[in-house]
Amino acid sequence: MSKPELSVPFVDLHAQYLSIKNEIDDAIAAVIRSSSFIRGPYVERFEDQFAAAIGIRHCVSCANGTDSLYIAMRALGLKAGDEVIAPARSWISTTETISQAGGSVVFCDTDADTYTIDPKQIESKITARTVGIIPVHLYGQPADMDAIMAIADRHSLWVLEDCAQAHLAHYKGRTVGTIGNVASFSFYPGKNLGAMGDAGAIVTNDTVLAERMAMFARHGGLTKGEHHIEGINSRLDGLQAAILSVKLPHLADWTRRRQVIADEYRRLLSNVNDVVLPTVAEGRRHVYHLFVIQHPQRDGLARHLATRGVQSGVHYPVSLPFLQAYQHLTHTAEDFPNAYAHQARILSLPLYPEMSAAQIECVVKAITSFQTNG
Ligand SMILES: *Cc1c(COP(=O)(O)O)cnc(C)c1O
């Protein structure tokens, strides 16, 4: 077989850096000049800017998108025996933090089409010990928030939105992160808004909760020398904050670019046998952190793409209830049929704002050639 002339990486963070190199380099130099490494003006400015971008009152920055979930649940007062309902499909941060905050994980299956938590199945999981629900806007598509909020209201539960993959996604005109009681964001480098290292934030309109979260993340005190409670050390650093402030104004354009690429994939792959394209439910604005297709020969297709120079990924190969970490819950495939079926069929195609038309075409040709061979 001849060598592919064009390779398509799964993401290309360096391409994004080159597109804003001067701004980034200047921002980093400014932080170094002022030695504002921890807290300080760059962190405060990014918190204000991010809150404004989401359209919410408070943003509490922290070290990463896993800490943000943990901090939110500690501030919500999670305690031993409390149960939290979470989707069977997500990154493990969503549920490991429930356990670490002292609660118990209760999994709910995901919807067959959108991969987000299936609200029709939530109520059957609620017990006298249930305190909250964590919808995950997986791959960049909002979960069905109206149905989830109605259930939460009926049972007096809090809702913590995991927005790690869904910066600027909308649900019926509302930006995700503003719908539940509190929301968690990750700025891991590969996320739609990514730092050059670890970073995260929690947002809320609840002033009391915001103060409690900030206090817990900063050793239990907001003023020097005072510690009202025992907390943790989870901080966004000045360099990451300055980098994020440079990137934030570009996020709307990058998001549109993701949507254009997704539309292009849809157009070019719509008649390809065996390829199931992502479904976008009514009233939702998908921001395509990932473009996830399904294919009955997923592993064969991924290998074929690799030989054609196209990187792909599987997010995630084992659904949460079936991980070794949750073996003690003794779940079986029948408990979460959608999550179980999807894990063997899903494949994430390359998608990042800087992708060229030739690269999109290269991915499409690689997929269609598998059809003819396979
Ligand atoms: C990335 C991610 C997280 C965790 O973010 P980190 O910044 O890597 O700690 C949490 N939840 C979901 C759904 C994620 O994709």
Side-chain angles (χ1 to χ4, degrees), residues 63-67 69 90-91 93-94 136 138 162 164-165 184-188 191 198-200 289 316:
N64 57 68
T66 306
D67 277 6
L69 292 160
S90 183
W91 176 242
S93 298
T94 310
V136 180
L138 199 69
D162 186 341
Q165 304 187 1
S184 163
F185 284 86
S186 166
F187 307 116
Y188 174 83
K191 296 288 160 78
D198 273 318
H289 173 57
Y316 301 93

Side-chain angles (χ1 to χ4, degrees), residues 16-158:
Q16 181 171 90
Y17 167 64
L18 290 179
S19 74
I20 50 171
K21 183 177 182 308
N22 290 343
E23 287 177 87
I24 294 279
D25 292 353
D26 290 350
I28 290 172
V31 175
I32 293 173
R33 248 190 328 269
S34 65
S35 301
S36 305
F37 298 122
I38 299 292
R39 295 301 311 165
Y42 296 98
V43 174
E44 276 167 29
R45 188 182 58 171
F46 176 69
E47 287 177 338
D48 291 345
Q49 291 168 335
F50 192 67
I54 298 298
I56 202 155
R57 228 169 275 148
H58 307 285
C59 169
V60 177
S61 61
C62 63
N64 57 68
T66 306
D67 277 6
S68 55
L69 292 160
Y70 175 69
I71 293 162
M73 280 186 272
R74 289 296 304 260
L76 285 163
L78 198 69
K79 57 186 192 313
D82 287 349
E83 293 174 359
V84 178
I85 298 171
R89 290 201 58 75
S90 183
W91 176 242
I92 193 168
S93 298
T94 310
T95 50
E96 65 188 357
T97 49
I98 297 172
S99 310
Q100 278 148 14
S104 302
V105 179
V106 176
F107 287 112
C108 180
D109 204 3
T110 38
D111 177 71
D113 299 320
T114 63
Y115 306 108
T116 54
I117 192 166
D118 181 1
K120 292 188 299 297
Q121 301 190 46
I122 292 178
E123 263 178 322
S124 69
K125 311 280 176 187
I126 295 175
T127 72
R129 298 175 147 217
T130 309
V131 296
I133 307 170
I134 310 185
V136 180
H137 307 307
L138 199 69
Y139 307 150
Q141 168 154 227
D144 188 358
M145 291 306 294
D146 277 353
I148 294 164
M149 294 310 292
I151 294 165
D153 279 349
R154 238 179 350 261
H155 299 271
S156 306
L157 310 176
W158 49 252

